[in-house]
């Protein structure tokens, strides 16, 4: 355990963004006495992002709760088998099974499902259409906030999308899942299906794919519930 008696919390961002979007969640958890670290995963390959996450875990004491948003869910699913990880929290995230990747999970979307406005690859990297970023990724943020996120996009490597999970941590570790019911990037029915498959404890809130930015209190509360469950074991 950390000096606070709580598990340490490690926050892992997804594609097109960096770790700064976790600031609100970080502030809430820090105020409540949690040790929190934010991974700046390069999003070039799943292997590289797992390595970056393990570097952060190595610096912490005691059990760790891994939290992933969007593609970050793939990263925590692969990293979470580390014996130092005690629980997983998915925030509008992919929760793949063995052999699955973002590519396999987004293939063949059902009729009527939102299609993320991902532009054709450029030199092995992906970007979202800036003009459609607000509606697709950040519908419940202000126009200025969404414009900044669109203009500060992190190139997402196509190799990261193709990275497959070898052993899904949710098969051996408890998990929690926050479904964003207004998500236009990962359809809410897909989120519900993945969380059910993983046996996660589920909370659903009305929010966009950027729910971790727009509703940091709700996200932090779910993370704290996961930590409390570990303490009470």
């Amino acid at each position: 355990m950390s000096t606070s008696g709580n598990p340490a919390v490690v926050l892992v961002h997804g594609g097109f963004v960096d770790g700064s979007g976790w600031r609100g969640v970080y502030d809430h958890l820090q105020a409540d006495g949690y040790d929190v670290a934010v991974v700046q995963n390069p999003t070039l390959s799943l292997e590289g992002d797992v390595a970056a996450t393990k570097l952060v875990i190595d610096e912490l004491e005691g059990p760790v709760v891994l939290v992933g948003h969007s593609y970050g869910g793939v990263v925590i699913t692969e990293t979470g088998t580390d014996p130092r990880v005690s629980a997983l929290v998915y925030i509008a995230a992919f929760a793949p099974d063995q052999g699955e990747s973002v590519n396999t999970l987004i293939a063949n979307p059902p009729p009527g499902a939102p299609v993320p406005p991902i532009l054709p690859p450029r030199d092995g990297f992906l970007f979202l259409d800036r003009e459609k970023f607000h509606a697709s990724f950040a519908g419940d943020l202000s126009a200025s906030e969404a414009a900044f996120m669109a203009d500060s996009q992190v190139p997402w490597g196509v190799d990261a999308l193709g990275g497959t999970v070898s052993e899904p941590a949710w098969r051996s570790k408890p998990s929690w899942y926050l479904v964003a019911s207004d998500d236009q990037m990962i359809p809410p029915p897909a989120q519900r299906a993945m969380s059910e498959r993983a046996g996660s404890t589920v909370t659903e809130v009305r929010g966009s794919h950027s729910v971790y930015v727009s509703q940091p209190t709700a996200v932090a509360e779910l993370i704290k519930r996961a930590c409390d469950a570990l303490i009470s074991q």
Side-chain angles (χ1 to χ4, degrees), residues 1-33:
M1 289 286 179
S2 68
T3 55
S4 67
N6 296 311
V9 177
V10 174
L11 305 172
V12 183
H13 66 81
F16 304 120
V17 296
D18 64 16
S20 63
W22 289 114
R23 182 59 190 269
V25 174
Y26 173 93
D27 286 346
H28 276 286
L29 293 172
Q30 283 264 310
D32 287 334

mmCIF file of all heavy atoms in Angstrom, residues 1-33:
data_model
loop_
_atom_site.group_PDB
_atom_site.id
_atom_site.type_symbol
_atom_site.label_atom_id
_atom_site.label_comp_id
_atom_site.label_asym_id
_atom_site.label_seq_id
_atom_site.Cartn_x
_atom_site.Cartn_y
_atom_site.Cartn_z
ATOM 1 N N MET A 1 0.830 -1.193 0.000
ATOM 2 C CA MET A 1 0.000 0.000 0.000
ATOM 3 C C MET A 1 0.872 1.255 0.000
ATOM 4 O O MET A 1 1.993 1.243 0.484
ATOM 5 C CB MET A 1 -0.915 0.032 1.225
ATOM 6 C CG MET A 1 -2.053 -0.996 1.173
ATOM 7 S SD MET A 1 -3.341 -0.534 0.009
ATOM 8 C CE MET A 1 -4.455 -1.917 0.192
ATOM 9 N N SER A 2 0.314 2.334 -0.540
ATOM 10 C CA SER A 2 0.991 3.618 -0.463
ATOM 11 C C SER A 2 0.909 4.135 0.963
ATOM 12 O O SER A 2 0.259 3.559 1.827
ATOM 13 C CB SER A 2 0.331 4.613 -1.429
ATOM 14 O OG SER A 2 -0.973 4.931 -0.979
ATOM 15 N N THR A 3 1.558 5.261 1.220
ATOM 16 C CA THR A 3 1.554 5.832 2.557
ATOM 17 C C THR A 3 0.147 6.219 3.006
ATOM 18 O O THR A 3 -0.120 6.312 4.203
ATOM 19 C CB THR A 3 2.469 7.063 2.603
ATOM 20 O OG1 THR A 3 2.060 7.986 1.574
ATOM 21 C CG2 THR A 3 3.915 6.674 2.373
ATOM 22 N N SER A 4 -0.770 6.429 2.050
ATOM 23 C CA SER A 4 -2.149 6.793 2.391
ATOM 24 C C SER A 4 -2.979 5.591 2.794
ATOM 25 O O SER A 4 -4.093 5.736 3.288
ATOM 26 C CB SER A 4 -2.815 7.475 1.187
ATOM 27 O OG SER A 4 -2.971 6.556 0.119
ATOM 28 N N GLY A 5 -2.462 4.377 2.563
ATOM 29 C CA GLY A 5 -3.235 3.177 2.821
ATOM 30 C C GLY A 5 -4.095 2.747 1.653
ATOM 31 O O GLY A 5 -4.757 1.705 1.712
ATOM 32 N N ASN A 6 -4.092 3.543 0.588
ATOM 33 C CA ASN A 6 -4.860 3.226 -0.611
ATOM 34 C C ASN A 6 -3.962 2.611 -1.675
ATOM 35 O O ASN A 6 -2.758 2.876 -1.697
ATOM 36 C CB ASN A 6 -5.495 4.494 -1.197
ATOM 37 C CG ASN A 6 -6.515 5.120 -0.276
ATOM 38 O OD1 ASN A 6 -7.390 4.436 0.243
ATOM 39 N ND2 ASN A 6 -6.415 6.427 -0.086
ATOM 40 N N PRO A 7 -4.536 1.817 -2.582
ATOM 41 C CA PRO A 7 -3.748 1.397 -3.743
ATOM 42 C C PRO A 7 -3.323 2.624 -4.549
ATOM 43 O O PRO A 7 -4.003 3.652 -4.540
ATOM 44 C CB PRO A 7 -4.732 0.531 -4.536
ATOM 45 C CG PRO A 7 -5.817 0.167 -3.582
ATOM 46 C CD PRO A 7 -5.913 1.292 -2.606
ATOM 47 N N ALA A 8 -2.210 2.511 -5.236
ATOM 48 C CA ALA A 8 -1.812 3.576 -6.163
ATOM 49 C C ALA A 8 -2.651 3.462 -7.426
ATOM 50 O O ALA A 8 -3.090 2.366 -7.815
ATOM 51 C CB ALA A 8 -0.335 3.454 -6.496
ATOM 52 N N VAL A 9 -2.889 4.579 -8.071
ATOM 53 C CA VAL A 9 -3.701 4.630 -9.287
ATOM 54 C C VAL A 9 -2.826 5.062 -10.453
ATOM 55 O O VAL A 9 -2.104 6.067 -10.362
ATOM 56 C CB VAL A 9 -4.886 5.602 -9.132
ATOM 57 C CG1 VAL A 9 -5.678 5.694 -10.429
ATOM 58 C CG2 VAL A 9 -5.792 5.169 -7.977
ATOM 59 N N VAL A 10 -2.890 4.308 -11.539
ATOM 60 C CA VAL A 10 -2.137 4.633 -12.756
ATOM 61 C C VAL A 10 -3.129 4.877 -13.883
ATOM 62 O O VAL A 10 -3.952 4.004 -14.202
ATOM 63 C CB VAL A 10 -1.164 3.497 -13.121
ATOM 64 C CG1 VAL A 10 -0.499 3.779 -14.469
ATOM 65 C CG2 VAL A 10 -0.106 3.335 -12.037
ATOM 66 N N LEU A 11 -3.061 6.064 -14.476
ATOM 67 C CA LEU A 11 -3.994 6.487 -15.522
ATOM 68 C C LEU A 11 -3.327 6.379 -16.889
ATOM 69 O O LEU A 11 -2.235 6.918 -17.106
ATOM 70 C CB LEU A 11 -4.425 7.930 -15.271
ATOM 71 C CG LEU A 11 -5.027 8.226 -13.880
ATOM 72 C CD1 LEU A 11 -5.233 9.719 -13.695
ATOM 73 C CD2 LEU A 11 -6.332 7.475 -13.684
ATOM 74 N N VAL A 12 -4.006 5.697 -17.829
ATOM 75 C CA VAL A 12 -3.449 5.433 -19.159
ATOM 76 C C VAL A 12 -4.390 6.014 -20.223
ATOM 77 O O VAL A 12 -5.552 5.617 -20.310
ATOM 78 C CB VAL A 12 -3.268 3.920 -19.395
ATOM 79 C CG1 VAL A 12 -2.617 3.662 -20.749
ATOM 80 C CG2 VAL A 12 -2.443 3.293 -18.270
ATOM 81 N N HIS A 13 -3.875 6.949 -21.009
ATOM 82 C CA HIS A 13 -4.711 7.600 -22.031
ATOM 83 C C HIS A 13 -4.829 6.748 -23.287
ATOM 84 O O HIS A 13 -4.135 5.744 -23.453
ATOM 85 C CB HIS A 13 -4.157 8.983 -22.370
ATOM 86 C CG HIS A 13 -2.810 8.965 -23.047
ATOM 87 N ND1 HIS A 13 -2.656 8.735 -24.387
ATOM 88 C CD2 HIS A 13 -1.557 9.160 -22.551
ATOM 89 C CE1 HIS A 13 -1.376 8.781 -24.709
ATOM 90 N NE2 HIS A 13 -0.679 9.034 -23.603
ATOM 91 N N GLY A 14 -5.706 7.174 -24.176
ATOM 92 C CA GLY A 14 -5.927 6.468 -25.427
ATOM 93 C C GLY A 14 -5.284 7.142 -26.616
ATOM 94 O O GLY A 14 -4.315 7.905 -26.483
ATOM 95 N N GLY A 15 -5.825 6.875 -27.796
ATOM 96 C CA GLY A 15 -5.275 7.414 -29.026
ATOM 97 C C GLY A 15 -5.712 8.847 -29.283
ATOM 98 O O GLY A 15 -6.759 9.295 -28.802
ATOM 99 N N PHE A 16 -4.906 9.571 -30.029
ATOM 100 C CA PHE A 16 -5.141 10.951 -30.469
ATOM 101 C C PHE A 16 -4.938 11.991 -29.363
ATOM 102 O O PHE A 16 -5.012 13.186 -29.626
ATOM 103 C CB PHE A 16 -6.550 11.140 -31.055
ATOM 104 C CG PHE A 16 -6.878 10.221 -32.189
ATOM 105 C CD1 PHE A 16 -7.947 9.336 -32.101
ATOM 106 C CD2 PHE A 16 -6.127 10.218 -33.353
ATOM 107 C CE1 PHE A 16 -8.259 8.484 -33.141
ATOM 108 C CE2 PHE A 16 -6.434 9.373 -34.405
ATOM 109 C CZ PHE A 16 -7.500 8.498 -34.297
ATOM 110 N N VAL A 17 -4.726 11.564 -28.114
ATOM 111 C CA VAL A 17 -4.596 12.504 -26.994
ATOM 112 C C VAL A 17 -3.380 12.123 -26.159
ATOM 113 O O VAL A 17 -2.748 11.091 -26.399
ATOM 114 C CB VAL A 17 -5.863 12.489 -26.109
ATOM 115 C CG1 VAL A 17 -7.075 12.983 -26.877
ATOM 116 C CG2 VAL A 17 -6.129 11.081 -25.553
ATOM 117 N N ASP A 18 -3.073 12.965 -25.155
ATOM 118 C CA ASP A 18 -1.997 12.622 -24.229
ATOM 119 C C ASP A 18 -2.542 12.586 -22.807
ATOM 120 O O ASP A 18 -3.754 12.687 -22.599
ATOM 121 C CB ASP A 18 -0.812 13.582 -24.357
ATOM 122 C CG ASP A 18 -1.152 15.017 -23.970
ATOM 123 O OD1 ASP A 18 -2.197 15.237 -23.315
ATOM 124 O OD2 ASP A 18 -0.374 15.921 -24.305
ATOM 125 N N GLY A 19 -1.654 12.432 -21.855
ATOM 126 C CA GLY A 19 -2.086 12.245 -20.483
ATOM 127 C C GLY A 19 -2.659 13.471 -19.805
ATOM 128 O O GLY A 19 -3.251 13.357 -18.729
ATOM 129 N N SER A 20 -2.546 14.647 -20.409
ATOM 130 C CA SER A 20 -3.022 15.862 -19.745
ATOM 131 C C SER A 20 -4.535 15.876 -19.576
ATOM 132 O O SER A 20 -5.056 16.587 -18.702
ATOM 133 C CB SER A 20 -2.569 17.101 -20.531
ATOM 134 O OG SER A 20 -3.134 17.116 -21.831
ATOM 135 N N GLY A 21 -5.247 15.102 -20.375
ATOM 136 C CA GLY A 21 -6.699 15.051 -20.233
ATOM 137 C C GLY A 21 -7.159 14.463 -18.914
ATOM 138 O O GLY A 21 -8.315 14.636 -18.514
ATOM 139 N N TRP A 22 -6.258 13.777 -18.223
ATOM 140 C CA TRP A 22 -6.593 13.186 -16.929
ATOM 141 C C TRP A 22 -6.528 14.188 -15.782
ATOM 142 O O TRP A 22 -6.759 13.820 -14.634
ATOM 143 C CB TRP A 22 -5.638 12.037 -16.609
ATOM 144 C CG TRP A 22 -5.789 10.779 -17.403
ATOM 145 C CD1 TRP A 22 -4.894 10.247 -18.288
ATOM 146 C CD2 TRP A 22 -6.882 9.844 -17.334
ATOM 147 N NE1 TRP A 22 -5.365 9.052 -18.787
ATOM 148 C CE2 TRP A 22 -6.575 8.782 -18.225
ATOM 149 C CE3 TRP A 22 -8.081 9.820 -16.610
ATOM 150 C CZ2 TRP A 22 -7.446 7.711 -18.405
ATOM 151 C CZ3 TRP A 22 -8.939 8.744 -16.798
ATOM 152 C CH2 TRP A 22 -8.617 7.709 -17.678
ATOM 153 N N ARG A 23 -6.204 15.453 -16.057
ATOM 154 C CA ARG A 23 -5.933 16.396 -14.969
ATOM 155 C C ARG A 23 -7.070 16.475 -13.947
ATOM 156 O O ARG A 23 -6.841 16.472 -12.734
ATOM 157 C CB ARG A 23 -5.629 17.789 -15.528
ATOM 158 C CG ARG A 23 -5.297 18.836 -14.465
ATOM 159 C CD ARG A 23 -4.074 18.410 -13.654
ATOM 160 N NE ARG A 23 -3.852 19.248 -12.485
ATOM 161 C CZ ARG A 23 -3.087 20.344 -12.472
ATOM 162 N NH1 ARG A 23 -2.490 20.737 -13.595
ATOM 163 N NH2 ARG A 23 -2.933 21.042 -11.383
ATOM 164 N N GLY A 24 -8.303 16.551 -14.409
ATOM 165 C CA GLY A 24 -9.424 16.654 -13.486
ATOM 166 C C GLY A 24 -9.555 15.433 -12.598
ATOM 167 O O GLY A 24 -9.783 15.540 -11.389
ATOM 168 N N VAL A 25 -9.415 14.234 -13.183
ATOM 169 C CA VAL A 25 -9.478 12.993 -12.424
ATOM 170 C C VAL A 25 -8.317 12.942 -11.429
ATOM 171 O O VAL A 25 -8.491 12.586 -10.254
ATOM 172 C CB VAL A 25 -9.448 11.771 -13.366
ATOM 173 C CG1 VAL A 25 -9.362 10.471 -12.580
ATOM 174 C CG2 VAL A 25 -10.672 11.775 -14.271
ATOM 175 N N TYR A 26 -7.138 13.290 -11.909
ATOM 176 C CA TYR A 26 -5.937 13.327 -11.060
ATOM 177 C C TYR A 26 -6.156 14.222 -9.841
ATOM 178 O O TYR A 26 -5.859 13.832 -8.703
ATOM 179 C CB TYR A 26 -4.765 13.826 -11.900
ATOM 180 C CG TYR A 26 -3.480 14.091 -11.157
ATOM 181 C CD1 TYR A 26 -2.500 13.103 -11.050
ATOM 182 C CD2 TYR A 26 -3.229 15.337 -10.589
ATOM 183 C CE1 TYR A 26 -1.310 13.358 -10.378
ATOM 184 C CE2 TYR A 26 -2.046 15.595 -9.921
ATOM 185 C CZ TYR A 26 -1.091 14.603 -9.816
ATOM 186 O OH TYR A 26 0.091 14.857 -9.154
ATOM 187 N N ASP A 27 -6.692 15.421 -10.079
ATOM 188 C CA ASP A 27 -6.898 16.369 -8.978
ATOM 189 C C ASP A 27 -7.882 15.819 -7.944
ATOM 190 O O ASP A 27 -7.667 15.953 -6.730
ATOM 191 C CB ASP A 27 -7.402 17.705 -9.521
ATOM 192 C CG ASP A 27 -6.316 18.513 -10.224
ATOM 193 O OD1 ASP A 27 -5.125 18.177 -10.062
ATOM 194 O OD2 ASP A 27 -6.674 19.475 -10.928
ATOM 195 N N HIS A 28 -8.959 15.200 -8.402
ATOM 196 C CA HIS A 28 -9.954 14.634 -7.483
ATOM 197 C C HIS A 28 -9.321 13.540 -6.620
ATOM 198 O O HIS A 28 -9.529 13.498 -5.401
ATOM 199 C CB HIS A 28 -11.126 14.059 -8.269
ATOM 200 C CG HIS A 28 -12.158 15.067 -8.652
ATOM 201 N ND1 HIS A 28 -13.052 15.616 -7.761
ATOM 202 C CD2 HIS A 28 -12.441 15.634 -9.849
ATOM 203 C CE1 HIS A 28 -13.838 16.479 -8.379
ATOM 204 N NE2 HIS A 28 -13.491 16.514 -9.649
ATOM 205 N N LEU A 29 -8.579 12.644 -7.259
ATOM 206 C CA LEU A 29 -7.979 11.534 -6.514
ATOM 207 C C LEU A 29 -6.899 12.018 -5.555
ATOM 208 O O LEU A 29 -6.809 11.560 -4.413
ATOM 209 C CB LEU A 29 -7.405 10.514 -7.494
ATOM 210 C CG LEU A 29 -8.432 9.765 -8.352
ATOM 211 C CD1 LEU A 29 -7.724 8.930 -9.410
ATOM 212 C CD2 LEU A 29 -9.333 8.885 -7.498
ATOM 213 N N GLN A 30 -6.080 12.941 -6.020
ATOM 214 C CA GLN A 30 -5.034 13.493 -5.148
ATOM 215 C C GLN A 30 -5.642 14.164 -3.917
ATOM 216 O O GLN A 30 -5.135 14.008 -2.801
ATOM 217 C CB GLN A 30 -4.201 14.505 -5.931
ATOM 218 C CG GLN A 30 -3.186 13.878 -6.881
ATOM 219 C CD GLN A 30 -1.817 13.785 -6.244
ATOM 220 O OE1 GLN A 30 -1.299 14.743 -5.701
ATOM 221 N NE2 GLN A 30 -1.227 12.588 -6.313
ATOM 222 N N ALA A 31 -6.732 14.893 -4.119
ATOM 223 C CA ALA A 31 -7.378 15.590 -3.009
ATOM 224 C C ALA A 31 -7.903 14.617 -1.963
ATOM 225 O O ALA A 31 -8.011 14.967 -0.782
ATOM 226 C CB ALA A 31 -8.516 16.465 -3.531
ATOM 227 N N ASP A 32 -8.214 13.406 -2.400
ATOM 228 C CA ASP A 32 -8.728 12.387 -1.489
ATOM 229 C C ASP A 32 -7.626 11.466 -0.965
ATOM 230 O O ASP A 32 -7.910 10.417 -0.371
ATOM 231 C CB ASP A 32 -9.810 11.565 -2.178
ATOM 232 C CG ASP A 32 -11.109 12.342 -2.345
ATOM 233 O OD1 ASP A 32 -11.340 13.264 -1.547
ATOM 234 O OD2 ASP A 32 -11.876 12.037 -3.280
ATOM 235 N N GLY A 33 -6.371 11.829 -1.186
ATOM 236 C CA GLY A 33 -5.261 11.123 -0.576
ATOM 237 C C GLY A 33 -4.693 9.957 -1.365
ATOM 238 O O GLY A 33 -3.922 9.168 -0.822
#
